Amino acid sequence: MAAEVMDRVGIHEGNVFRYHQARRQTKNYQADLEMLQYDILYGKQYVYGGKNPYQKEKLHLGVEEVTLDKIEKISDGRYYITGTNFTQSAYLEVNGELVEVTYVSPTTLLLTDGDLQDGDEVDIAIRSNSSTRKVLSRTETQIYHETSKAQTDESTEDTTETDMGSQTEGQTEEQTETKTDEKADAVENGASSEKSETTVETQ
């Protein structure tokens, strides 16, 4: 039907489309269509003059690229995986083997039964849901370095304590300077009062 409509409005683009328009009522229509399809996909591509005009490109599932930003250990065997554009078809790939993860959000995955070792090669693979289960796209491979949540929290606490210590030290110095200035003012005022009293007595 599409070929018929496009033919009536003068649109004749694409080899298979033109074939439908020109041969749809011929005797060997179905057999010749299969031969044309075979030539385009697997044959010597006579339809293109023997040379495929299309260049191979790396394809990936989805519109946006998937990225892997960080893997954080939260307890034994449990890890948070953060990045961008995750889907429910995402898997963690460890040293070439796919490991199932739980989809949390487009930026978070949860690995609940894993044993990552320092130095493992990891990436995120997006797998087909069809019977082929083929990996359609994957992120760049990264090297995993173990950093537990406890270590991260400890690092944060150390940084906080350092900042608080610096702040307290700064406040102490500021308070000392203020007290010193106040004492100097008091001494100066006292000296002025004594001088005034001496002057009055002399007179």
Side-chain angles (χ1 to χ4, degrees), residues 56 89 133 137 144 158 164-165 167 169 171 175 188 192:
K56 289 184 178 181
S89 299
R133 307 296 288 164
S137 61
Y144 171 74
D158 290 343
M164 292 179 63
Q167 183 177 3
E169 183 180 349
Q171 290 176 344
Q175 291 173 353
E188 185 176 350
S192 299

Side-chain angles (χ1 to χ4, degrees), residues 158-173:
D158 290 343
T159 303
T160 304
E161 288 177 1
T162 302
D163 292 342
M164 292 179 63
S166 299
Q167 183 177 3
T168 303
E169 183 180 349
Q171 290 176 344
T172 303
E173 292 177 356

Side-chain angles (χ1 to χ4, degrees), residues 73 77-79 94 99 111 113-117 120 144 146:
K73 184 176 182 179
R78 294 169 59 86
Y79 302 82
V94 183
V99 179
L111 176 61
D113 186 18
D115 184 21
L116 298 181
Q117 302 296 323
D120 282 346
Y144 171 74
E146 184 171 341

Side-chain angles (χ1 to χ4, degrees), residues 183-200:
K183 187 174 181 180
D185 292 340
V187 171
E188 185 176 350
N189 291 334
S192 299
S193 299
E194 291 177 359
K195 185 176 180 181
S196 298
E197 291 174 359
T198 302
T199 304
V200 170

Side-chain angles (χ1 to χ4, degrees), residues 18 54 67 77 95 98 130 159 167 185 201:
R18 285 199 299 269
Y54 303 104
T67 64
N95 299 323
L98 297 180
S130 68
T159 303
Q167 183 177 3
D185 292 340
E201 290 177 357

Side-chain angles (χ1 to χ4, degrees), residues 37-152:
Q37 292 172 334
Y38 180 87
D39 179 63
I40 293 174
L41 296 174
Y42 313 109
K44 296 184 178 180
Q45 300 177 331
Y46 292 113
V47 70
Y48 298 131
K51 185 177 181 181
N52 191 340
Y54 303 104
Q55 299 296 323
K56 289 184 178 181
E57 293 185 3
K58 183 179 178 181
L59 300 180
H60 66 274
L61 184 65
V63 178
E64 301 292 339
E65 291 283 354
V66 179
T67 64
L68 170 60
D69 296 337
K70 183 175 63 174
I71 299 179
E72 179 183 355
K73 184 176 182 179
I74 53 179
S75 63
D76 289 342
R78 294 169 59 86
Y79 302 82
Y80 272 132
I81 304 168
T82 56
T84 59
N85 304 311
F86 294 150
T87 72
Q88 295 185 1
S89 299
Y91 286 74
L92 176 66
E93 192 167 22
V94 183
N95 299 323
E97 295 186 6
L98 297 180
V99 179
E100 289 191 9
V101 293
T102 302
Y103 174 83
V104 179
S105 73
T107 60
T108 306
L109 301 173
L110 176 62
L111 176 61
T112 57
D113 186 18
D115 184 21
L116 298 181
Q117 302 296 323
D118 197 70
D120 282 346
E121 295 184 354
V122 295
D123 61 67
I124 298 299
I126 306 299
R127 198 175 188 183
S128 169
N129 292 325
S130 68
S131 58
T132 63
R133 307 296 288 164
K134 183 178 181 181
V135 173
L136 301 178
S137 61
R138 54 171 47 89
T139 63
E140 294 292 332
T141 301
Q142 299 183 23
I143 303 300
Y144 171 74
H145 296 291
E146 184 171 341
T147 302
S148 66
K149 190 174 188 298
Q151 290 174 326
T152 303

